[in-house]
Amino acid sequence: MSEDLGAVVDDIMKSVGNDVSREDVESNLKKFIDYGVPVEQARQAVIKKYGGKIAVQSIQKKLGDVEPDDKRLSLLGKIVAIEDREVDVRGEKKKIFRGLIGDETAVLPFTAWKDFGLEQGDVVRIKNASAGEWGGQPRLNFSEWTEVEKTDESVDLIKRKPQHYNVIDLKPGLSNVEVKVKLLTMEEREVSVEGTIKKVYTGIMGDETGKIRYTSWTDFGIKEGDVVEIKGAYTKSWRGAPQLIFDENAKVEKLDEEIAEEMGKKSIPIYKLVEVGGGVDVAVEGIVIEVQNGSGIIYRCPKCNRAIREGVCPVDGEVEGIPDLRIKAVVDDGTGAVNAIFDREVTEKLTGKTLDDYKKMTSESGEGGETAVEEEIKNLLIAHPIHVEGNALSDEYGVTLIVRDAEMVTPAIEQEKEELLSKMEVME
């Protein structure tokens, strides 16, 4: 072991005491380093293994002073929002926690890679956090090595001017948001929060650029159809799409003006949809560049409606499948691509054939009939422009559009020809 690592072993021995042999410490430290673990993390891992106390030289900062790539941060903040989600880490499912933490200088997004028992409203002292960058601002990371302690101290959140956003630009992780929107739907319901029944108001709101789901934790006396200005809201991801949240800390004002009903009907660039992580009732136009396997006639489980293979449902086992029709495709508009799933109704509209037509085709084609159906759909759609509408959901595999309606787009050849000729005449 080198002289430098010998000093690391000395440091570990001070932390773990004399009940552990120096040889064991050296062996475990070398094992971590041989696996590619950085020396500092290996040091902490060995100390933790033997029950020692990790001495961390933290850097005390206010949230407004945090910069990307900061490490060993020590912070005091209030949990503004938190949610859990499941992600795939090296092939294994892992629950992580994302949210917002604030103090009098800033509100920053964070990701906690273990369950610290955090809840909205908690004031916490945090040691050994780190910062990365997301969306042009620092994002805090609370790892296995981070210490989180709840405290009775008081934290006043920053009083800064809200930033105005169009709905199309709202993505998870924003705070102090200002929007002017129309409440398209509203549902009042009761939920239990720490044993206390609270009323919440949920629905869909929108402006001229798009729509978004919302939740209000306070009765602001507003109703469906109202046009309102909301200041001091924040956003998070819910069911694979951005959601706007506002509570008693927000200001909501009813406005005497209108917002166009055609909101969200205009096609948006696919890159925008990917950038904000999904959306509600969106429309995109692009080229069908791929029709994926599993398109055409499929069979569904009569109990859970999942697609089955060779008569076996992954949940309910062997079942008598119910025939269905669908298309799984990839649509690309030159700025980005999304997966798109078309149900039976939309598939029949696009292809001009019913499920019974395709079942008859399968029967007449004999063995390989279902492959013939899939090939016919590919020939109909691939390389053709298409307009699709629906809800876009985001996960670790990308954005998937659950298509509610679609139609093939006929290129305006004559219009493009006249525009080209006009440009040529100008050049002459």
Side-chain angles (χ1 to χ4, degrees):
M1 181 164 285
S2 69
E3 185 176 339
D4 288 341
L5 290 182
V8 175
V9 174
D10 290 342
D11 181 62
I12 295 173
M13 293 303 297
K14 291 178 184 175
S15 299
V16 301
N18 296 324
D19 293 337
V20 183
S21 74
R22 185 178 181 88
E23 289 74 19
D24 285 346
V25 168
E26 286 182 354
S27 174
N28 280 282
L29 180 66
K30 189 172 184 303
K31 190 182 298 180
F32 277 112
I33 293 173
D34 288 344
Y35 274 108
V37 177
V39 172
E40 175 56 24
Q41 290 186 21
R43 181 186 75 87
Q44 294 184 23
V46 175
I47 292 174
K48 188 173 182 181
K49 174 181 174 66
Y50 291 112
K53 188 171 182 179
I54 300 171
V56 179
Q57 296 178 344
S58 295
I59 302 171
Q60 183 75 41
K61 278 195 172 185
K62 294 291 185 183
L63 291 173
D65 297 326
V66 172
E67 297 179 358
D69 298 329
D70 274 351
K71 301 185 186 307
R72 299 180 182 177
L73 289 166
S74 181
L75 309 159
L76 174 67
K78 184 174 185 178
I79 303 300
V80 177
I82 187 167
E83 62 179 349
D84 63 83
R85 64 181 302 180
E86 200 171 65
V87 297
D88 190 272
V89 179
R90 297 174 183 173
E92 294 186 5
K93 296 294 183 185
K94 182 178 178 64
K95 181 184 283 189
I96 64 172
F97 300 82
R98 287 181 173 172
L100 298 168
I101 183 170
D103 65 9
E104 67 274 22
T105 64
V107 175
L108 294 181
F110 71 82
T111 299
W113 292 89
K114 62 176 282 188
D115 185 1
F116 291 100
L118 297 176
E119 296 179 354
Q120 185 178 8
D122 285 346
V123 175
V124 289
R125 281 201 170 275
I126 296 168
K127 293 181 180 177
N128 205 25
S130 61
E133 183 174 359
W134 184 82
Q137 68 174 338
R139 171 183 281 275
L140 295 167
N141 286 302
F142 306 155
S143 71
E144 188 75 25
W145 319 110
T146 302
E147 298 177 33
V148 177
E149 179 185 3
K150 296 184 182 180
T151 171
D152 294 330
E153 296 170 79
S154 176
V155 169
D156 294 324
L157 296 179
I158 182 174
K159 304 292 185 187
R160 57 185 168 89
K161 184 179 179 182
Q163 184 173 353
H164 181 80
Y165 288 88
N166 291 323
V167 168
I168 189 62
D169 295 319
L170 293 175
K171 57 186 177 182
L174 299 175
S175 63
N176 211 15
V177 170
E178 175 186 316
V179 292
K180 184 189 293 184
V181 293
K182 183 172 184 175
L183 304 176
L184 302 172
T185 64
M186 177 180 282
E187 177 186 0
E188 177 184 328
R189 58 194 176 89
E190 292 184 338
V191 297
S192 176
V193 180
E194 298 179 352
T196 302
I197 300 298
K198 293 195 65 174
K199 284 186 178 178
V200 296
Y201 304 84
T202 61
I204 295 175
M205 58 172 57
D207 64 9
E208 294 86 348
T209 67
K211 299 176 184 176
I212 188 171
R213 294 191 184 98
Y214 71 88
T215 292
S216 169
W217 287 92
T218 301
D219 183 3
F220 289 100
I222 53 179
K223 63 182 186 302
E224 185 175 309
D226 285 348
V227 173
V228 296
E229 184 176 65
I230 302 168
K231 296 179 179 179
Y234 59 92
T235 58
K236 67 176 187 177
S237 178
W238 189 70
R239 293 187 176 179
Q243 182 187 34
L244 189 78
I245 313 290
F246 48 106
D247 53 26
E248 68 275 9
N249 296 314
K251 292 183 178 179
V252 178
E253 180 183 1
K254 184 178 176 182
L255 304 177
D256 186 18
E257 55 184 88
E258 269 300 320
I259 290 180
E261 289 290 339
E262 291 302 311
M263 61 188 72
K265 289 293 183 184
K266 185 179 178 182
S267 297
I268 60 174
I270 289 178
Y271 88 87
K272 192 68 180 176
L273 197 58
V274 175
E275 181 181 81
V276 300
V280 177
D281 199 14
V282 298
V284 300
E285 282 188 11
I287 305 293
V288 178
I289 62 170
E290 182 182 359
V291 172
Q292 299 173 321
N293 293 336
S295 298
I297 295 179
I298 63 168
Y299 291 86
R300 295 193 180 277
C301 174
K303 298 178 182 176
C304 67
N305 204 40
R306 286 181 171 82
I308 64 175
R309 297 184 67 176
E310 299 178 354
V312 178
C313 170
V315 175
D316 297 305
E318 289 189 11
V319 292
E320 186 71 29
I322 300 174
D324 193 12
L325 197 59
R326 77 171 177 190
I327 298 172
K328 296 170 63 180
V330 178
V331 178
D332 189 314
D333 71 349
T335 71
V338 290
N339 299 310
I341 297 178
F342 305 74
D343 64 11
R344 173 182 170 181
E345 182 180 354
V346 181
T347 300
E348 290 181 338
K349 175 185 174 182
L350 287 176
T351 62
K353 288 188 175 181
T354 65
L355 174 61
D356 288 339
D357 291 335
Y358 280 123
K359 287 167 65 177
K360 183 179 179 182
M361 177 180 172
T362 302
S363 176
E364 292 175 349
S365 299
E367 189 175 352
E370 293 179 359
T371 302
V373 171
E374 188 174 318
E375 287 301 314
E376 180 174 294
I377 292 174
K378 287 181 178 178
N379 291 333
L380 278 171
L381 296 186
I382 288 181
H384 285 277
I386 192 169
H387 174 94
V388 293
E389 298 176 6
N391 292 336
L393 311 179
S394 177
D395 60 20
E396 62 266 37
Y397 303 109
V399 174
T400 298
L401 192 61
I402 309 301
V403 180
R404 185 191 67 251
D405 194 13
E407 60 182 10
M408 306 303 291
V409 176
T410 303
I413 296 176
E414 286 302 320
Q415 181 181 347
E416 292 178 2
K417 177 183 172 184
E418 290 179 5
E419 291 176 355
L420 182 59
L421 288 173
S422 298
K423 291 179 181 177
M424 293 176 67
E425 288 172 359
V426 171
M427 294 175 64
E428 291 174 356

